Amino acid sequence: MSKQLLQKQADTIRFLAADMVQAANSGHPGAPMGLADIATVLSKHLNVNPANEKWLNRDRLVFSGGHATGLVYSLLHLWGFNVSVNDLKNFRQTHSKTPGHPEYGHTHGIEITTGPLGQGIANAVGFASAAKYAQNTLGSDVINHKVYCLCGDGDLQEGISYEATATAGHLKLDNLVIIYDSNNITIEGDTSLAWSENVKKRFQGIDFEVIEIDGHNFEQIENAFVQAKAATKPVMIIAKTAIGKGSVSMEGSHHAHGAPLGEEDIRLSKEKAGFNPDEKFIVPAEVKGAFDKLIIGSEAENKWNDSLSAEAKAKIEELQNPNYDAVEYPTFEADTSVATRDSNHKILNAIAAAVPGFLGGSADLGPSNKTELKGEGDFPNGRNIHFGIKEHAMAAIANAMNLYGLYRVYSATFFVFSDYLKPSARIAALAGIPQHFVWTHDSIGVGEDGPTHQPIEHLSQFRALPNFYTFRPADATENVESWKTALKMNAPTAFVCSRQGLKVLKNEKAYGEVSNGAYLLKKRDNAQITIMASGSELMLALQTACHLEEDGIIANVVSVPCFDLFLEQEQSYIDQVIDKNTRVYAVEAARGLEYYRFADVVYGMDTFGASGPAGDLFDEFGFTIPKLKANIIADFKN
């Protein structure tokens, strides 16, 4: 392929991106223009099939700098994905296929929603991790693709990038190639304002192969990709580039980062590159032909399909179509005491026994979270993933593993440390990624570790997150039913589990099911009040209801294992669960303000807890039968 054609391909990308941002009067032209030469050469090496974006052995390309969508959408159009010139013209417009940051499931060909800087690097590590496990279990003749990630200075400055790439180096992910657009520019100006890190030494220190190139030299770019494809460890390509490359007035300037170049600059830049300055959104025929992946992508997929053995096809079919109905869930004897983290451990192992694509791990808390899959070995050869003390990267890695196409992956930590992974949980919710989050040590029941380790506001935080379903089971049996519900949902779910033992309830319900999010557990004739609770506070609610009868107050009791699901129920169901003629109380050893959606009074936490034995703390903060009873009587009789 001639250098002249390569240059024309790269310039086509540049001016498509510039035209898109100019038409929208919004966006980021600098990075797409600076990366155009690299993207052009990478395109030669990338194996994708626009006719089947889900082809399992395709290369994955992750755009960690999601703001550089002018590059993303230009490439998808040029390759033959369902992104038209009209879609490019509607860049950043309401309901267009080309939003400001790429979104999985919204735009054809987008592998994952990256969003905040650094996410994409961790997602790329997740795809590479899933591919490495698939390669180790299915065979290198079945899975042998690469994972490419385009990132910039901002991605590498975010802490998640170190967490994720350190994991990639440890796992020796030789299928991962990160391309660093090193243009030394951030929004405020030169990176030297706030950053003086030696990136080469950093990545050599975590066992990456590092290749340094001129990001505008086609020969050096080509050689770098050839070398990367033959590497025996993960690769970091440091490409020195000029932001806004090709702009006659803003090349190399931070002003090219996040604003249109202006009509005059674009005209002069096109003219200088030999393009017609009066034409916009132009793709020369020879450029489209050089980029197009429809024919060669279909041929590559057909060749791969033909090479698969019957055994490999059967294994892939089983992984892609898990039979959750085959799970033989554990049973638990009523009136025994079982911490929900312990019942969760048995449930995880039961699922893994029936579903070969079910795997996961913890952020160095496996023995405490109770997440080990017994006898299943260690990742990347086995199903127990040791993420290390890297909560944010763990969640982002697991997000990508869940979208790889073969696996259902869970991650785990203490509930209070969900703070560290909230951005990744939010992306999972936004993109509908069915990751299972296991969060133990759910309340002031953590006890002596004190307020730094006692999650107070966290339930409210995640219940407020759209398309995210937080289960806080009251006992082992509710935990089983919660998992049955969660496994069939196409959304992220969280299991908030206790460290302390919780009494297993008799399998008796007055009305409704766990799958409805809340149900009427105990119904009494002529009830005057309703008490709502989740988790460890449900038994407190039941016992307090019995004691209230001594004072002539008749109470119904409602269990709320998943507040989010309850909100989605028809009003007729809600009215059956919560008697509108009763005064409603909610009790939860957390902030609990969301209960005011249904409750007249909420007994929750107003502080961050304290350090002391768990029993003392429940008494201190009012979560005992005498104190809850006294509070309800004082309110009801006044």
Side-chain angles (χ1 to χ4, degrees):
M1 189 175 291
S2 71
K3 183 178 178 181
Q4 184 178 7
L5 180 56
L6 289 172
Q7 189 63 57
K8 195 167 188 177
Q9 289 179 254
D11 286 337
T12 297
I13 292 174
R14 288 190 174 98
F15 298 132
L16 283 175
D19 285 342
M20 290 164 66
V21 174
Q22 192 65 38
N25 196 30
S26 173
H28 304 75
M33 296 178 78
L35 279 166
D37 299 314
I38 292 169
T40 296
V41 178
L42 174 60
S43 180
K44 290 176 53 185
H45 294 270
L46 198 72
N47 289 315
V48 293
N49 182 11
N52 180 15
E53 63 172 335
K54 300 298 185 184
W55 171 34
L56 183 60
N57 200 41
R58 69 190 182 279
D59 291 330
R60 271 59 166 188
L61 177 58
V62 179
F63 300 88
S64 192
H67 59 279
T69 42
L71 175 68
V72 180
Y73 301 138
S74 296
L75 287 171
L76 291 175
H77 168 69
L78 293 166
W79 289 334
F81 285 89
N82 187 20
V83 178
S84 68
V85 170
N86 280 336
D87 293 324
L88 303 185
K89 291 178 179 178
N90 284 318
F91 179 55
R92 287 185 163 232
Q93 302 310 296
T94 307
H95 304 307
S96 75
K97 291 182 184 178
T98 49
H101 287 73
E103 297 178 27
Y104 171 77
H106 182 81
T107 306
H108 189 224
I110 296 298
E111 295 286 0
I112 194 166
T113 302
T114 51
L117 290 175
Q119 281 279 329
I121 291 178
N123 295 150
V125 173
F127 283 133
S129 297
K132 180 57 65 175
Y133 179 67
Q135 189 177 77
N136 290 345
T137 55
L138 297 175
S140 57
D141 57 329
V142 177
I143 301 296
N144 47 41
H145 66 84
K146 292 287 186 181
V147 177
Y148 296 94
C149 177
L150 290 166
C151 73
D153 296 293
D155 295 290
L156 293 184
Q157 289 184 46
E158 290 286 359
I160 188 175
S161 71
Y162 177 75
E163 293 183 20
T165 53
T167 297
H170 174 74
L171 293 175
K172 303 186 185 305
L173 300 180
D174 57 359
N175 54 359
L176 176 65
V177 181
I178 299 176
I179 303 124
Y180 166 34
D181 177 26
S182 179
N183 58 31
N184 297 109
I185 293 294
T186 58
I187 291 175
E188 293 183 353
D190 194 279
T191 53
S192 61
L193 288 169
W195 203 38
S196 53
E197 183 172 307
N198 187 319
V199 174
K200 179 179 180 179
K201 288 184 178 179
R202 167 182 166 181
F203 278 88
Q204 287 176 332
I206 54 175
D207 207 21
F208 268 64
E209 182 171 328
V210 181
I211 305 168
E212 295 183 287
I213 61 169
D214 175 350
H216 304 302
N217 183 305
F218 291 121
E219 185 176 352
Q220 288 186 30
I221 299 168
E222 171 67 20
N223 291 339
F225 283 125
V226 171
Q227 184 178 340
K229 289 166 77 171
T232 57
K233 56 177 67 175
V235 174
M236 163 59 75
I237 298 175
I238 301 176
K240 298 302 296 183
T241 62
I243 193 170
K245 177 70 173 176
S247 166
V248 295
S249 65
M250 282 190 256
E251 181 176 315
S253 168
H254 70 276
H255 294 295
H257 170 76
L261 300 178
E263 294 285 0
E264 186 62 18
D265 179 277
I266 295 174
R267 281 182 55 82
L268 293 174
S269 300
K270 287 179 178 178
E271 195 169 44
K272 183 179 178 182
F275 280 60
N276 186 337
D278 296 318
E279 293 182 332
K280 298 180 179 180
F281 296 98
I282 295 303
V283 179
E286 65 273 27
V287 167
K288 186 66 170 74
F291 273 115
D292 199 278
K293 295 284 186 181
L294 277 168
I295 295 175
I296 60 173
S298 294
E299 289 176 347
E301 181 179 358
N302 290 336
K303 183 178 179 181
W304 178 78
N305 284 331
D306 291 342
S307 72
L308 294 178
S309 67
E311 181 184 11
K313 288 180 179 178
K315 287 182 178 179
I316 292 170
E317 174 72 17
E318 182 182 23
L319 290 168
Q320 290 182 329
N321 298 280
N323 181 12
Y324 296 118
D325 292 330
V327 178
E328 296 183 9
Y329 290 96
T331 57
F332 301 91
E333 187 177 347
D335 295 328
T336 59
S337 181
V338 183
T340 45
R341 65 168 176 168
D342 291 321
S343 61
N344 210 61
H345 181 233
K346 293 182 178 181
I347 294 165
L348 292 175
N349 278 272
I351 297 169
V355 181
F358 187 75
L359 64 156
S362 171
D364 194 51
L365 291 169
S368 295
N369 296 146
K370 303 298 180 80
T371 50
E372 181 189 3
L373 300 179
K374 295 293 187 182
E376 291 295 344
D378 294 331
F379 192 83
N381 296 301
R383 292 158 73 180
N384 288 294
I385 307 173
H386 299 282
F387 287 105
I389 309 162
K390 309 164 189 168
E391 290 88 356
H392 195 179
M394 170 182 71
I397 287 168
N399 275 346
M401 294 184 74
N402 275 290
L403 292 186
Y404 182 73
L406 294 176
Y407 308 117
R408 182 66 70 94
V409 182
Y410 63 88
S411 65
T413 187
F414 289 163
F415 192 24
V416 76
F417 298 150
S418 63
D419 284 336
Y420 284 117
L421 56 78
K422 172 68 189 318
S424 297
R426 184 178 187 274
I427 291 295
L430 192 155
I433 301 172
Q435 180 178 171
H436 302 299
F437 296 86
V438 175
W439 295 328
T440 69
H441 297 60
D442 68 333
S443 72
I444 56 174
V446 172
E448 292 85 351
D449 281 344
T452 62
H453 282 55
Q454 291 168 8
I456 302 304
E457 76 280 13
H458 299 66
L459 278 167
S460 296
Q461 172 178 268
F462 285 101
R463 286 169 177 163
L465 187 59
N467 199 41
F468 192 98
Y469 297 86
T470 306
F471 290 87
R472 189 181 183 229
D475 72 343
T477 303
E478 271 196 5
N479 206 2
V480 168
E481 295 304 314
S482 296
W483 272 100
K484 288 180 181 178
T485 301
L487 285 170
K488 296 184 179 182
M489 297 176 69
N490 193 29
T493 52
F495 295 85
V496 181
C497 300
S498 71
R499 181 179 70 170
Q500 71 273 26
L502 302 180
K503 188 176 180 180
V504 178
L505 302 171
K506 294 181 175 65
N507 190 21
E508 299 173 356
K509 301 183 185 74
Y511 178 78
E513 299 293 339
V514 170
S515 58
N516 299 118
Y519 61 92
L520 182 57
L521 175 60
K522 185 66 68 175
K523 177 178 173 60
R524 291 176 170 86
D525 293 335
N526 303 314
Q528 299 157 287
I529 70 170
T530 295
I531 307 175
M532 305 177 71
S534 75
S536 54
E537 289 76 73
L538 182 63
M539 181 56 69
L540 170 63
L542 280 167
Q543 293 171 331
T544 302
C546 292
H547 284 268
L548 283 167
E549 285 195 65
E550 300 168 1
D551 289 83
I553 299 176
I554 311 302
N556 289 341
V557 178
V558 172
S559 179
V560 191
C562 185
F563 190 88
D564 317 280
L565 277 173
F566 190 46
L567 291 178
E568 295 179 358
Q569 302 308 305
E570 297 288 341
Q571 188 62 47
S572 59
Y573 178 84
I574 294 172
D575 291 342
Q576 285 281 87
V577 172
I578 302 173
D579 186 339
K580 290 187 291 186
N581 297 313
T582 62
R583 186 162 177 80
V584 181
Y585 298 90
V587 53
E588 195 161 69
R591 201 74 176 101
L593 297 179
E594 61 276 12
Y595 274 100
Y596 280 113
R597 179 76 170 262
F598 305 106
D600 298 296
V601 180
V602 175
Y603 297 115
M605 291 293 296
D606 295 320
T607 73
F608 286 100
S611 176
D616 291 353
L617 297 185
F618 281 113
D619 180 64
E620 172 83 13
F621 294 107
F623 299 102
T624 59
I625 298 168
K627 289 188 175 180
L628 180 59
K629 174 184 174 181
N631 284 332
I632 290 176
I633 289 174
D635 174 82
F636 187 72
K637 291 192 174 180
N638 289 332

